[in-house]
Amino acid sequence: MGIGNKPIDDGNYLFTPEEMAEFVQREPGAKPYFRRWLGADEFLNGYERRFLWLGDAEPAALKALPLAMARVAAVRKFRADSKSPPTRKLAETPRRFHVEFMPDKDFLVIPKVSSERRNYIPIGYFKPDTLASDLLFIVPHATAYHFGVLSSSMHNAWMRTVAGRLESRYRYSVHIVYNNFPWPQDVPEEKRLAVTRAAQAVLSAR
């Protein structure tokens, strides 16, 4: 488990679907570079945002995208003007994230903070075309079985016992909650399949 992507972009690469549509209308060549963006708030409250990810774009292709390059210039300036030396250093690579974590297969997301009023902490299961923010923890290469175990009442009971709190909300942790979780060992195949089927039923209901 690790944290998601940390842009430090002053919002220059983030778009609502409407803002993205307007941007693409003005610069159609930018459309392939937009990806779904998922932060904790977007995940918990179910709304969409898009991210203009230019980190892997070829320099020759970027020359044909002046509006996108204007966003790159704005990010470079924002980072260069920072009082933080590490952030100023990042101005040298304005198309890259500060922290990058992009699984190449299905992955789970868990919000760093969620309401104590929930019986189960929200956990999502996503494809690699989604970019997750650093307000989410990521479990890469996850299966429906992993989703099922982490969504179980057993794991939630463990989380409520050992997790920290932000005010009264649950504060999930890699080192305290996840790494110390007594993951079931030597699980018989029929029980593994039962967990997988139950997890798939949850995902199908969603």
Side-chain angles (χ1 to χ4, degrees):
M1 175 179 279
I3 66 168
N5 301 284
K6 188 174 183 179
I8 310 186
D9 68 329
D10 197 31
N12 282 286
Y13 295 140
L14 281 170
F15 294 75
T16 65
E18 295 77 17
E19 290 168 342
M20 186 196 83
E22 181 182 350
F23 190 91
V24 168
Q25 187 174 22
R26 297 170 62 197
E27 192 156 271
K31 186 175 182 179
Y33 300 102
F34 279 97
R35 293 174 65 175
R36 182 185 183 186
W37 178 256
L38 192 73
D41 196 49
E42 290 88 341
F43 173 57
L44 291 170
N45 294 301
Y47 64 92
E48 297 283 327
R49 284 213 288 180
R50 297 292 184 269
F51 195 93
L52 182 61
W53 169 242
L54 302 170
D56 298 326
E58 293 293 334
L62 292 174
K63 290 180 180 179
L65 303 174
L67 294 180
M69 289 307 297
R71 299 286 177 133
V72 174
V75 172
R76 181 185 291 111
K77 183 178 185 307
F78 172 73
R79 293 179 178 180
D81 291 344
S82 173
K83 294 180 180 179
S84 167
T87 300
R88 291 199 299 272
K89 179 69 175 175
L90 290 171
E92 299 173 7
T93 54
R95 292 188 287 123
R96 310 296 310 194
F97 293 137
H98 176 213
V99 175
E100 295 186 2
F101 194 178
M102 304 176 196
D104 58 359
K105 294 183 179 179
D106 295 354
F107 61 94
L108 300 180
V109 300
I110 300 178
K112 289 185 175 181
V113 177
S114 58
S115 172
E116 77 283 2
R117 295 190 297 272
R118 300 177 185 271
N119 291 326
Y120 295 86
I121 54 172
I123 298 178
Y125 195 48
F126 291 93
K127 300 291 183 183
D129 56 353
T130 294
L131 293 175
S133 89
D134 62 315
L135 298 178
L136 296 166
F137 291 119
I138 294 178
V139 181
H141 298 182
T143 65
Y145 173 75
H146 298 123
F147 174 84
V149 172
L150 293 178
S151 298
S152 68
S153 57
M154 174 178 62
H155 181 253
N156 278 270
W158 170 263
M159 182 278 302
R160 285 191 292 271
T161 302
V162 303
R165 298 289 190 272
L166 181 62
E167 298 167 340
S168 59
R169 290 168 288 169
Y170 298 129
R171 188 164 191 162
Y172 203 88
S173 162
V174 174
H175 300 295
I176 296 174
V177 181
Y178 185 79
N179 285 351
N180 290 321
F181 176 57
W183 199 278
Q185 301 296 310
D186 302 320
V187 180
E189 186 61 22
E190 65 270 18
K191 291 188 180 296
R192 183 181 292 269
L193 289 174
V195 171
T196 299
R197 285 193 293 268
Q200 190 57 59
V202 171
L203 294 170
S204 298
R206 291 181 180 177

